[in-house]
């Protein structure tokens, strides 16, 4: 086997393509021949020791993979050799072979390509949990998405439309706005890459102009930083502001705004929720597969790299240049 290993904290350039012994599955595990691995923003953090999970080194980043089961450990009854699966690994996915708990694997439809499967669970799982379970988004409500052209943001556009919401995509460039319109966004807003106080006021005014006097019923914030406050200032009465990620930094919010708007700030920790409510998680996965079959959701993969070029993929993610998803593949 080969794996792209992090041997010391640092950026993508510190990763090393390393040969090792093919692992054998332990009790309750299966070994997967990895065909594709999704690349996500947490992968850029975990190699710098900036993520909440800090694996012992050496380790491979990569939290979601798709491939074929090629060995089964003791007591595994739900999977068999030859099954096509996706797996949530947390880390370790940038490799040719890995062992994963059978309970972390899900069989994928026969007509779902491995690339789609490897780019499916993290983004759609996060956004479906956020919009369905945390925000309880309703048909006819207005949903604004910060960072709408990224992986989770693009998923949120499709899921918001599937739920019957009016979707406003907020992004940092015209090409990203065009991408979001192709996904089905009803309106787009372009915000500046640098956000000072005047820019915050201008963004808030632009949001209010686009969404109208009723305001935003649900805000999906996958950006953070100084972009959050203008959105909260534009919330509807009783609105729900979803905290999803902080690539622009952790926001400082004047809490009087939540009083004035009678709105909620709601945390979205999908990774923890799947362990706290496994039955609810499997229900969500079933719903997502149904939506995939109907064509309501489909990963938009904008870049593909061989597994050994993982550093290039991570650099694209870190520089916030990605439209939709990036995938790594093994020949």
């Amino acid at each position: 086997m080969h794996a792209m290993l992090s041997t010391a904290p640092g950026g993508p350039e510190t990763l090393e393509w390393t040969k090792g012994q093919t692992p054998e599955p332990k009790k309750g595990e299966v070994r997967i021949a990895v065909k594709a691995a999704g690349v996500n923003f947490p992968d850029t953090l975990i190699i710098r020791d900036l993520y909440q999970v800090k694996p012992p080194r050496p380790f491979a980043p990569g939290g979601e993979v798709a491939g074929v089961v090629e060995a089964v450990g003791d007591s595994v009854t739900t999977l068999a050799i030859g099954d096509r699966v996706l797996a949530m690994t947390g880390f370790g996915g940038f490799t040719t072979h890995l062992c994963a708990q059978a309970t972390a694997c899900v069989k994928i439809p026969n007509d779902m390509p491995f690339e789609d499967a490897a780019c499916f669970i993290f983004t759609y799982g996060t956004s479906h949990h956020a919009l369905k379970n945390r925000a309880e988004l309703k048909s006819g409500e207005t949903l604004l998405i910060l960072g709408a052209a990224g992986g989770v943001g693009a998923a949120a556009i499709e899921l918001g439309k599937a739920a019957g919401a009016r979707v406003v995509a907020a992004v940092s460039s015209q090409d990203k706005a065009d991408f979001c319109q192709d996904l089905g966004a009803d309106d787009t807003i372009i915000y500046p890459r640098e956000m000072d106080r005047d820019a915050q006021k201008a963004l808030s005014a632009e949001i209010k102009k686009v969404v109208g006097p009723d305001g935003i019923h649900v805000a999906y914030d996958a950006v953070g930083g100084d972009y959050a406050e203008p959105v909260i200032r534009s919330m509807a009465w009783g609105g729900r502001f979803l905290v999803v990620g902080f690539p622009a930094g952790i926001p400082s919010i004047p809490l009087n705004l939540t009083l004035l708007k009678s709105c909620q700030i709601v945390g979205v920790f999908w990774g923890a929720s799947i362990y706290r409510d496994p039955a609810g998680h499997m229900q969500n996965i079933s719903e997502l597969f149904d939506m995939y079959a109907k064509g309501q959701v489909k990963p938009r993969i904008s870049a593909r790299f061989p597994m050994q070029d993982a550093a290039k993929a991570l650099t694209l993610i870190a520089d916030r240049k990605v439209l939709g998803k990036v995938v790594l593949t093994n020949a």
Side-chain angles (χ1 to χ4, degrees):
M1 64 162 283
H2 283 79
M4 186 61 76
L5 296 182
S6 173
T7 58
E13 72 283 353
T14 63
L15 297 178
E16 301 176 10
W17 186 239
T18 306
K19 184 178 181 179
Q21 185 174 358
T22 302
E24 292 298 327
K26 300 175 183 176
K27 182 178 180 180
E29 293 183 340
V30 297
R31 186 173 72 231
I32 300 169
V34 177
K35 302 300 183 182
V39 186
N40 298 288
F41 186 73
D43 298 322
T44 70
L45 301 178
I46 199 170
I47 61 175
R48 290 181 166 92
D49 286 351
L50 297 178
Y51 196 53
Q52 49 260 51
V53 177
K54 294 179 173 59
R57 285 188 169 83
F59 71 90
E64 58 176 347
V65 302
V68 178
V69 174
E70 64 174 23
V72 176
D74 291 342
S75 78
V76 174
T77 59
T78 56
L79 296 172
I81 292 172
D83 283 344
R84 303 171 75 252
V85 297
L86 61 78
M88 296 168 289
T89 57
F91 59 92
F94 294 177
T95 184
T96 58
H97 301 79
L98 64 77
C99 290
Q101 289 290 323
T103 53
C105 301
V106 178
K107 293 181 184 179
I108 61 175
N110 289 332
D111 59 351
M112 176 180 268
F114 288 118
E115 289 187 3
D116 280 6
C119 293
F120 192 74
I121 193 69
F122 191 96
T123 51
Y124 289 102
T126 297
S127 294
H128 192 40
H129 169 67
L131 298 177
K132 172 193 169 185
N133 301 126
R134 302 298 288 146
E136 298 181 353
L137 178 67
K138 300 175 181 65
S139 179
E141 290 189 318
T142 295
L143 165 67
L144 183 136
I145 304 165
L146 277 173
V152 292
I157 291 175
E158 293 179 308
L159 292 167
K161 293 303 297 179
R166 175 195 176 193
V167 176
V168 180
V171 293
S172 61
S173 66
Q174 186 61 53
D175 63 327
K176 292 181 178 180
D178 294 342
F179 173 76
C180 292
Q181 287 184 321
D182 288 342
L183 286 175
D186 298 289
D187 299 281
T188 58
I189 293 172
I190 299 175
Y191 49 71
R193 292 184 180 274
E194 301 295 331
M195 183 66 65
D196 57 18
R197 195 62 186 168
D198 288 340
Q200 283 185 315
K201 292 179 181 178
L203 176 57
S204 183
E206 178 67 14
I207 292 172
K208 291 174 182 177
K209 177 182 175 182
V210 170
V211 304
D214 290 341
I216 303 162
H217 298 104
V218 175
Y220 184 107
D221 182 11
V223 176
D226 293 331
Y227 298 87
E229 184 178 330
V231 175
I232 292 180
R233 290 184 180 276
S234 310
M235 296 297 291
W237 180 265
R240 290 86 75 200
F241 180 93
L242 298 172
V243 180
V244 182
F246 319 104
I250 297 176
S252 297
I253 302 298
L255 287 181
N256 65 303
L257 295 177
T258 62
L259 182 151
L260 295 172
K261 300 286 184 177
S262 192
C263 66
Q264 304 173 48
I265 296 177
V266 183
V268 179
F269 193 175
W270 172 72
S273 73
I274 65 177
Y275 298 105
R276 292 175 177 269
D277 182 16
H281 167 64
M282 292 310 300
Q283 176 63 35
N284 284 351
I285 297 303
S286 176
E287 291 169 1
L288 288 170
F289 280 149
D290 285 345
M291 284 188 269
Y292 181 87
K294 294 175 182 176
Q296 294 175 306
V297 300
K298 179 178 174 59
R300 266 49 173 200
I301 299 172
S302 61
R304 295 167 173 84
F305 296 92
M307 192 70 69
Q308 56 266 41
D309 288 339
K312 295 178 181 178
L314 288 170
T315 299
L316 278 182
I317 296 282
D319 291 345
R320 296 165 67 181
K321 295 180 178 179
V322 171
L323 300 177
K325 290 286 292 188
V326 177
V327 69
L328 303 175
T329 59
N330 287 312

